[in-house]
Amino acid sequence: MLKMELRHLALLTDFGERDYFVASVKAVALAINPYLNIIDITHNVPSFNFEAAGFILTACYRLFPAGTIFLAIVDPGVGSERKIIMVLTEKYYFLGPDNGILWPALQTQRVLDIREIKTKKYFLTPGRTTFEGRDRLAPAAAFLSLGLEPSEFGPSLTKIKSIPLAHPVIKKNLISGSVIYVDKFGNLITNIPKEIVADLIRNGKKFIIIIKDRVIKKFAKRYVDSVSGQPFGLINSLGFLEIALNMGSAAEELGAGPGTPVNVSII
Amino acid sequence: MLKMELRHLALLTDFGERDYFVASVKAVALAINPYLNIIDITHNVPSFNFEAAGFILTACYRLFPAGTIFLAIVDPGVGSERKIIMVLTEKYYFLGPDNGILWPALQTQRVLDIREIKTKKYFLTPGRTTFEGRDRLAPAAAFLSLGLEPSEFGPSLTKIKSIPLAHPVIKKNLISGSVIYVDKFGNLITNIPKEIVADLIRNGKKFIIIIKDRVIKKFAKRYVDSVSGQPFGLINSLGFLEIALNMGSAAEELGAGPGTPVNVSII
Amino acid sequence: MLKMELRHLALLTDFGERDYFVASVKAVALAINPYLNIIDITHNVPSFNFEAAGFILTACYRLFPAGTIFLAIVDPGVGSERKIIMVLTEKYYFLGPDNGILWPALQTQRVLDIREIKTKKYFLTPGRTTFEGRDRLAPAAAFLSLGLEPSEFGPSLTKIKSIPLAHPVIKKNLISGSVIYVDKFGNLITNIPKEIVADLIRNGKKFIIIIKDRVIKKFAKRYVDSVSGQPFGLINSLGFLEIALNMGSAAEELGAGPGTPVNVSII
């Protein structure tokens, strides 16, 4: 009889929600630890877009209970020489392909151990596979939830693949950033952190936001403070400058998306 | 060590399923009560449409186990002066913004207590927020599941915001109702209750259904009783007159949707 | 007090994820057994397509823990004379309408008992219904999870409805199969099993794949081994020949879908 070991497994993939992929990953994990509580972060990451997945993971991981195991699978290189890895931080475990998907979330945590997942006895089948999420990552996550040590799963690694994170450039009276994510409401999340904007406000500086040749003068504290039909800036719930349109899509209105430059100009 | 307190938390939002919103709400709740069993009602309510959310909640809440906590978040006024509330009924708890989203479901229950959610120590962060679902409602729901009394969360309220519910008008030989919801199969659910139709049938009255200048003579007891390609009336599983099209979408065929008038005429 | 009986209930429907249908089924089951662990296989089966549902169930059922109860509801004949059934195999329980949806998964298992679900005391309401998933199948699944015997639910059946499964035809130098499923990545899964292809390779035979007047010469072991923009064959994670396009949709590129003929020709 298994010890009742409540452990949360949070899944983040680009598998979509119409096939057998997500169910396969969950089934394999539950067959190893039937007491796992599995939470879907999302399975609707745009296909192969591990940068978007990295952003989503970073946006919510720190809210989960200590001990949560995160399994993030957006893996265009599945089956290739890229490794699959397990990372232990002070509070959580992260598993996924070593393609940069875990990188952004790890920038804000102290990493205690990194392992390449290689120990075949924990794989669903020892041989070649085109579905490592089901055959290698899901069982590794489930065995980990039963109390196995990360060292059981493979050799230690000292570094993992990074991905370039776009940081804003600050020059005298201009902060040059960009859109890094568009949510389902069409809100444009930028990489300009709230501290920069808060500084401007505290110092009584006036500023405008320039995006796609549009000048945005309105800065609001809440979505409802905006003028209908007018894009405006606000500090969003993740702590970044966001361009929004109350009850509408700023992304559509402005024709903007990930990568679109956003300038904050002090006037 | 937490007392093992199995409690069901049912979520209903317009957050969609592609971002970090739903996961954030779940994570906050699980960090407070890791034994919560979270059930998704849906997260695909059309953005900002709290009337549709109210209908969906009303359609299914009574099937849930006693003690279920419902958290309904479709909140175009997030951050504004509208309150967030907690309602205790004889069998359930309901939390959400006070914008009318909870109103329809409460019409069929005895309300025992209403509280404004204000006690800051139960918030994720005490300050201003643009994501009250994550920062205030999720922690309130989770602390409630641990056994806190509604009175802990804020002052008593005597009334909440209502929304107008469309009721059918009955005149001699004509029942004038309307479409209140369209489901994914394209079935048109009206606000005409089964009792009215059952009365007609019991009294041997013949009737036709008029919608969008189309006269529907067929009334079926089951979807399969219909003639292929012909819209027909039936009493649906919620106890309302529905216009359906077997193996097809009545909404598309008739060009109808929420608000479309539906007349039942006795002939 | 209920005995804590952890049991997995896996759901597979065409209900979509925007209405009250899925929540209703879950609520009814949890009201009977609040300790059920409910796993969504998918609710996005194309409306009424029980053949696609049968494929998805077959693709993943065997990965679930022993004792899992599968509830598969794609039911264009709801309310008609078609039966609803419960099937006990050596390792699992399967419930659904008797329209062929369960047939493919049962071909690979030993069936121990088949029951028509008829015992009214286990129904949500004894009378007529247009939502048997909620009113009959969900409660039957939940009572089953509490330890009731299949024989409690109705009379024994000796056969269930079959659906024709497309098998490849092998002639001398030609294997004639077809596409049986297209996944969200646009991969075309055929009915040609890996053993046939492995035989060709082991015997040093060279072969080409012909689909939609296109000749595919490339056969890869992993998605990443392919040439960008070129469709190729591979043995997929279900053990079938698949036509794929790395980082793209083979279905779109080739204009192919379920039923499209696929020929493997030995050259």
Side-chain angles (χ1 to χ4, degrees), chain A:
Chain A
M1 177 68 190
L2 272 171
K3 180 165 157 292
M4 162 97 196
E5 178 85 41
L6 187 93
R7 198 58 79 91
H8 300 293
L9 175 63
L11 296 183
L12 172 60
T13 78
D14 65 347
F15 293 165
E17 298 183 329
R18 38 155 286 197
D19 296 313
Y20 55 91
F21 304 126
V22 173
S24 298
V25 165
K26 292 183 181 178
V28 166
L30 289 170
I32 292 165
N33 182 355
Y35 296 104
L36 267 176
N37 183 38
I38 302 179
I39 303 118
D40 299 300
I41 297 178
T42 179
H43 301 291
N44 299 316
V45 173
S47 299
F48 316 122
N49 191 338
F50 51 86
E51 291 95 342
F55 176 82
I56 293 169
L57 184 61
T58 307
C60 65
Y61 83 84
R62 77 191 74 209
L63 302 167
F64 278 83
T68 296
I69 298 167
F70 294 91
L71 178 49
I73 315 174
V74 177
D75 192 11
V78 61
S80 73
E81 298 316 311
R82 66 97 191 83
K83 297 178 182 74
I84 55 173
I85 58 174
M86 173 184 294
V87 181
L88 169 65
T89 69
E90 284 190 302
K91 214 172 153 187
Y92 302 114
Y93 301 90
F94 295 84
L95 287 82
D98 184 23
N99 60 12
I101 190 172
L102 302 179
W103 177 260
L106 296 175
Q107 299 318 296
T108 46
Q109 299 178 76
R110 197 153 79 86
V111 171
L112 303 183
D113 196 7
I114 310 174
R115 296 281 162 174
E116 181 177 359
I117 300 173
K118 280 189 91 167
T119 311
K120 289 195 174 169
K121 69 174 166 179
Y122 300 124
F123 293 169
L124 193 63
T125 51
R128 180 190 295 278
T129 174
T130 60
F131 192 179
E132 294 190 24
R134 178 192 70 186
D135 300 338
R136 300 186 176 185
L137 285 161
F143 280 115
L144 186 66
S145 79
L146 291 175
L148 267 68
E149 292 299 322
S151 59
E152 288 270 358
F153 294 91
S156 179
L157 296 174
T158 52
K159 67 189 288 276
I160 67 168
K161 194 160 186 323
S162 62
I163 49 176
L165 296 177
H167 291 292
V169 175
I170 304 172
K171 278 189 203 155
K172 228 169 156 259
N173 287 319
L174 190 71
I175 298 123
S176 298
S178 58
V179 174
I180 49 172
Y181 191 80
V182 181
D183 70 24
K184 89 128 204 180
F185 295 101
N187 297 319
L188 301 162
I189 304 177
T190 77
N191 59 351
I192 300 172
K194 68 176 170 188
E195 291 73 14
I196 291 179
V197 179
D199 260 9
L200 297 180
I201 293 171
R202 191 169 43 242
N203 296 330
K205 299 275 175 71
K206 291 208 179 305
F207 60 92
I208 55 173
I209 302 164
I210 304 154
I211 176 171
K212 282 277 191 177
D213 295 328
R214 286 274 284 271
V215 173
I216 295 171
K217 294 177 183 170
K218 174 79 180 171
F219 184 81
K221 289 192 175 153
R222 312 175 296 186
Y223 293 101
V224 291
D225 288 336
S226 62
V227 177
S228 173
Q230 298 280 345
F232 62 98
L234 119 162
I235 297 302
N236 76 1
S237 64
L238 300 175
F240 288 96
L241 176 65
E242 175 178 304
I243 318 296
L245 184 68
N246 194 25
M247 307 288 285
S249 165
E252 271 182 35
E253 170 70 17
L254 297 166
T260 300
V262 176
N263 287 296
V264 173
S265 176
I266 298 158
I267 53 175

Side-chain angles (χ1 to χ4, degrees), chain C:
Chain C
M1 179 65 191
L2 273 171
K3 180 165 157 293
M4 163 97 194
E5 177 87 40
L6 186 92
R7 196 61 76 91
H8 301 293
L9 175 63
L11 296 184
L12 173 60
T13 78
D14 65 348
F15 292 166
E17 298 184 328
R18 37 155 288 196
D19 297 313
Y20 55 91
F21 304 126
V22 172
S24 299
V25 164
K26 291 183 181 178
V28 167
L30 289 169
I32 293 166
N33 182 356
Y35 296 105
L36 266 175
N37 183 37
I38 302 179
I39 304 118
D40 299 300
I41 297 179
T42 179
H43 301 291
N44 298 316
V45 173
S47 300
F48 314 124
N49 191 339
F50 51 86
E51 291 94 342
F55 177 82
I56 293 169
L57 184 59
T58 307
C60 64
Y61 83 84
R62 79 192 71 210
L63 302 167
F64 279 83
T68 296
I69 298 168
F70 294 91
L71 178 48
I73 315 175
V74 178
D75 192 11
V78 62
S80 72
E81 299 315 312
R82 67 96 191 83
K83 299 178 181 73
I84 54 171
I85 58 173
M86 173 184 293
V87 181
L88 169 64
T89 69
E90 284 189 301
K91 212 171 152 188
Y92 301 114
Y93 302 90
F94 295 84
L95 286 82
D98 184 23
N99 61 11
I101 190 173
L102 302 180
W103 177 260
L106 296 175
Q107 299 319 296
T108 44
Q109 300 178 75
R110 198 153 78 86
V111 171
L112 303 182
D113 196 7
I114 310 174
R115 297 280 161 174
E116 182 177 359
I117 300 173
K118 280 189 92 167
T119 310
K120 288 196 174 169
K121 70 175 166 180
Y122 299 123
F123 293 169
L124 193 63
T125 51
R128 182 190 295 280
T129 174
T130 60
F131 192 178
E132 294 190 24
R134 179 192 70 185
D135 300 338
R136 300 187 176 185
L137 285 161
F143 280 115
L144 185 67
S145 78
L146 292 175
L148 268 68
E149 292 297 323
S151 58
E152 288 270 358
F153 294 90
S156 178
L157 295 174
T158 52
K159 65 192 288 278
I160 68 168
K161 193 159 185 328
S162 61
I163 49 175
L165 297 177
H167 290 293
V169 176
I170 304 173
K171 275 188 204 155
K172 228 170 155 258
N173 286 321
L174 190 71
I175 299 124
S176 297
S178 59
V179 174
I180 49 172
Y181 190 80
V182 181
D183 70 25
K184 90 128 202 178
F185 296 101
N187 296 319
L188 301 162
I189 304 177
T190 77
N191 60 351
I192 300 173
K194 68 175 169 188
E195 290 75 13
I196 290 179
V197 179
D199 260 9
L200 297 179
I201 293 170
R202 193 171 39 245
N203 295 329
K205 299 276 176 72
K206 291 209 178 305
F207 59 91
I208 56 174
I209 302 163
I210 304 154
I211 176 171
K212 282 276 189 176
D213 295 329
R214 286 274 282 271
V215 173
I216 296 170
K217 292 177 186 170
K218 174 79 178 172
F219 184 81
K221 289 191 175 154
R222 313 176 296 186
Y223 293 101
V224 290
D225 288 336
S226 62
V227 178
S228 173
Q230 298 280 347
F232 62 97
L234 117 163
I235 296 303
N236 77 0
S237 66
L238 300 175
F240 288 96
L241 176 66
E242 176 177 303
I243 317 295
L245 184 70
N246 195 25
M247 306 289 285
S249 164
E252 271 183 36
E253 169 71 16
L254 296 167
T260 300
V262 176
N263 287 295
V264 173
S265 177
I266 298 160
I267 53 176

